[in-house]
Amino acid sequence: MSNAAAESSAPFSDGPVKNPTDGPIHEWFSLSYHNYLVLHRTLMQSMPTDWQLRLRACLEELEVAFAHLEHPEAFLVEAATEHEVRDLTNAQQFLLGITQDWFRGETPPEDLTGEDLHTWEAEHEDPDGPVYHRDGNELRASDRVLVPTLDSIPHYQRGRTYIPPRLPVAMSS
């Protein structure tokens, strides 16, 4: 949930909507560029039954409304942390297939070693820093990438995992 939505109990704007995509869902996503909403099954199954019934009804309504569209068979979802390319460790760069080019596409001659190699590198090193590449595409140092990590929310274990929600008093009754 967006921070603004979490911190505010005020309703979404109820004025006229100029574009049908500019409604409460657009506002909930805020200024993010996220294209999907991923929810932990463990957390949803841990919510009160009346909440689960409301969510289920909304999801079923969404499914019926767009049944006429072709949908992907599955999605690949994994927990991750977000980093700027410039802040990645060498191990993270390797994991993501990101390479650094400090020499503007040039490669030192194979016969250079020791001091001669260091001299060549100093003469050819890009003063603006490295250029990063991934899958044949150039990345800016400020580009943000996802590094896979462990998920801190436990697996639902066929419905056996329960995490007590901390609900405001009005929601828990």
Side-chain angles (χ1 to χ4, degrees):
M1 180 182 332
S2 70
N3 289 338
E7 295 170 4
S8 170
S9 60
F12 290 106
S13 60
D14 56 3
V17 176
K18 296 176 185 163
N19 180 330
T21 62
D22 289 344
I25 296 296
H26 179 73
E27 290 177 8
W28 186 85
F29 274 98
S30 186
L31 295 177
S32 75
Y33 293 103
H34 299 107
N35 200 33
Y36 299 95
L37 171 63
V38 177
L39 301 171
H40 282 88
R41 181 174 177 172
T42 299
L43 301 182
M44 292 186 293
Q45 288 182 182
S46 296
M47 288 295 287
T49 303
D50 63 327
W51 183 93
Q52 292 183 44
L53 290 169
R54 291 191 317 269
L55 179 62
R56 179 178 167 174
C58 287
L59 294 174
E60 288 172 350
E61 184 178 351
L62 182 68
E63 187 175 29
V64 168
F66 295 102
H68 64 284
L69 298 177
E70 186 176 329
H71 295 270
E73 182 178 325
F75 290 91
L76 177 62
V77 177
E78 65 181 335
T81 55
E82 190 174 33
H83 303 269
E84 287 190 2
V85 171
R86 77 174 109 237
D87 297 332
L88 295 173
T89 65
N90 288 339
Q92 290 169 326
Q93 286 181 25
F94 180 79
L95 175 71
L96 298 176
I98 295 175
T99 58
Q100 293 183 30
D101 176 8
W102 283 90
F103 308 112
R104 298 180 289 275
E106 293 186 53
T107 310
E110 291 182 25
D111 59 339
L112 291 182
T113 59
E115 189 59 38
D116 291 337
L117 178 59
H118 292 300
T119 301
W120 184 94
E121 290 174 342
E123 291 171 357
H124 292 83
E125 185 172 304
D126 191 333
D128 296 326
V131 174
Y132 299 94
H133 294 91
R134 181 182 194 184
D135 299 326
N137 298 309
E138 186 172 317
L139 300 171
R140 294 183 310 267
S142 62
D143 284 346
R144 302 188 71 75
V145 294
L146 298 176
V147 177
T149 189
L150 295 176
D151 191 346
S152 60
I153 305 296
H155 190 272
Y156 77 98
Q157 297 296 327
R158 296 188 301 259
R160 293 189 299 256
T161 302
Y162 176 77
I163 301 171
R166 294 182 183 165
L167 299 171
V169 176
M171 283 190 76
S172 59
S173 52

